[in-house]
């Protein structure tokens, strides 16, 4: 890691806002971040640019070091070491401190509100969301220690590797060689720089019905990708990552095309595992079999009925 400033000490409690490399390059985001800091009644204790290395990434996201989240680890590693980031250590405004309020939880909550707005307004995908701030108790203190004390003062940082509580990789995904995962993650960032996030589209043969992966579940991406890897064993890791990016960017990703019963059954199995999916018709009834000699109905009449409800049936899964 490199940096160019020492910390201006102030009374805590503290938290950290880490503007990621793509956030630093985005015009206007830094000024917007400063407005949000002021709006949340926070003050800047110290701010400096940093270039993170692999060890730094594990210090900021300690659960990535324990091996349960191999895909998230590699995606984050390529993302965060690809350019200059900016550290901002913040504390409550002087008026809040003098009034006896703004404990650690309050400062963290204000930073979380800033992160939420930045990601909503400027984030591209769950993989590239511009800004980080620690929210878990086991992450906050080590992150503050690193960026307020260890880095500016050149002191050693006591590493804390958190095993995490969210289910991680299992089955086929967990068994993949680390080199294959590293190569797939690197390919993601190369494709993104070359063609943009919109270029990530999973190519699935068409069918009368299709199963779509939907956003919104709270599991780790390694767990979610493991579910897809187990239920669709023909998909490669590149295809599974592509599906997740497409889902995040476009709102859904088509995982399978085929008969209605098979598409619905796959959606059932995905939702039974805790993710979100739906099955729906991909062509209108007229397109599937218009009798000879009959005129085609009006465009409004030939629109297929679409089921927008997530399928929640939890039945006994069939073998994949």
């Amino acid at each position: 890691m490199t940096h160019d400033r020492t910390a201006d000490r102030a009374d805590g409690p503290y938290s950290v806002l880490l503007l990621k490399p793509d956030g630093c390059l985005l015009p206007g985001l830094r000024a917007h971040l400063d407005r949000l800091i002021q709006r949340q009644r926070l003050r800047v204790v110290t701010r400096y640019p940093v270039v993170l290395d692999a060890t730094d990434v594990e210090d900021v996201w300690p659960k990535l070091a324990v091996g349960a989240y191999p895909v998230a680890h590699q995606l984050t590693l390529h993302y965060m070491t690809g350019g200059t980031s900016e550290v901002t250590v913040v504390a409550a405004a002087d008026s809040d401190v003098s009034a006896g309020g703004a404990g650690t939880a309050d400062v963290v909550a204000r930073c979380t509100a800033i992160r939420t707005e930045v990601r909503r307004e400027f984030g591209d995908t769950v993989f590239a969301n511009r800004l980080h701030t620690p929210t878990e108790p086991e992450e906050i203190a080590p992150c503050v220690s690193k960026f307020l004390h260890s880095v500016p003062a050149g002191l050693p940082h006591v590493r804390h590797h958190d095993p995490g509580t969210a289910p991680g990789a299992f089955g086929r995904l967990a068994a993949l060689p680390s080199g294959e995962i590293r190569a797939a993650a690197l390919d993601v960032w190369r494709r993104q720089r070359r063609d943009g996030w919109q270029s990530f589209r999973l190519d699935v043969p068409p069918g009368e019905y299709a199963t779509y992966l939907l956003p919104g579940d709270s599991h780790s991406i390694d767990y979610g990708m493991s579910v897809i890897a187990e239920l669709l064993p023909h998909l490669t890791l590149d295809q599974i990552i592509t599906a997740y990016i497409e889902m995040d960017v476009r709102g859904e990703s088509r995982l399978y095309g085929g008969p209605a019963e098979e598409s619905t059954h796959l959606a059932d199995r995905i939702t039974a595992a805790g993710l979100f999916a739906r099955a729906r018709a991909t062509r209108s009834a007229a397109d599937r079999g218009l009798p000879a000699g009959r005129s085609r109905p009006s465009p409004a009449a030939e629109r297929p009925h679409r089921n927008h409800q997530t399928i929640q049936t939890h039945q006994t899964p069939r073998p994949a």
Side-chain angles (χ1 to χ4, degrees), residues 237-252:
L237 177 59
D238 287 323
Q239 290 174 311
I240 294 171
I241 295 176
T242 294
Y244 258 70
I245 294 174
E246 181 183 20
M247 169 196 68
D248 205 35
V249 172
R250 297 177 178 272
E252 64 181 19

Side-chain angles (χ1 to χ4, degrees), residues 96-176:
D96 285 358
V97 174
S98 61
T104 298
D106 191 28
V107 171
V108 170
R110 297 181 194 186
C111 289
T112 302
I114 292 173
R115 181 191 68 180
T116 298
E117 179 162 341
V118 168
R119 290 183 175 184
R120 182 178 62 246
E121 297 296 326
F122 297 95
D124 288 327
T125 78
V126 68
F127 305 104
N129 45 37
R130 315 289 188 185
L131 183 70
H132 170 73
T133 192
T135 57
E136 301 298 326
E138 60 271 15
E139 294 181 358
I140 297 165
C143 201
V144 169
S145 175
K146 182 178 184 72
F147 290 121
L148 182 61
H149 304 294
S150 298
V151 175
L155 301 174
H157 177 65
V158 178
R159 303 207 139 75
H160 168 74
H161 290 161
D162 168 38
T165 57
F170 66 90
R172 182 163 69 97
L173 189 67
L176 288 177

Side-chain angles (χ1 to χ4, degrees), residues 248-273:
D248 205 35
V249 172
R250 297 177 178 272
E252 64 181 19
S253 179
R254 189 176 66 182
L255 297 177
Y256 170 81
E261 181 181 1
E262 293 181 9
S263 298
T264 302
H265 179 62
L266 177 59
D268 287 347
R269 298 185 69 186
I270 293 171
T271 56

Side-chain angles (χ1 to χ4, degrees), residues 18 42 105 208 232 246:
L18 180 62
L42 296 170
E208 292 185 0
L232 296 167
E246 181 183 20

Side-chain angles (χ1 to χ4, degrees), residues 3-21:
H3 64 94
D4 72 350
R5 283 194 59 185
T6 57
D8 302 319
R9 300 305 172 89
D11 293 333
Y14 310 105
S15 192
V16 174
L17 294 164
L18 180 62
L19 195 59
K20 299 177 181 181

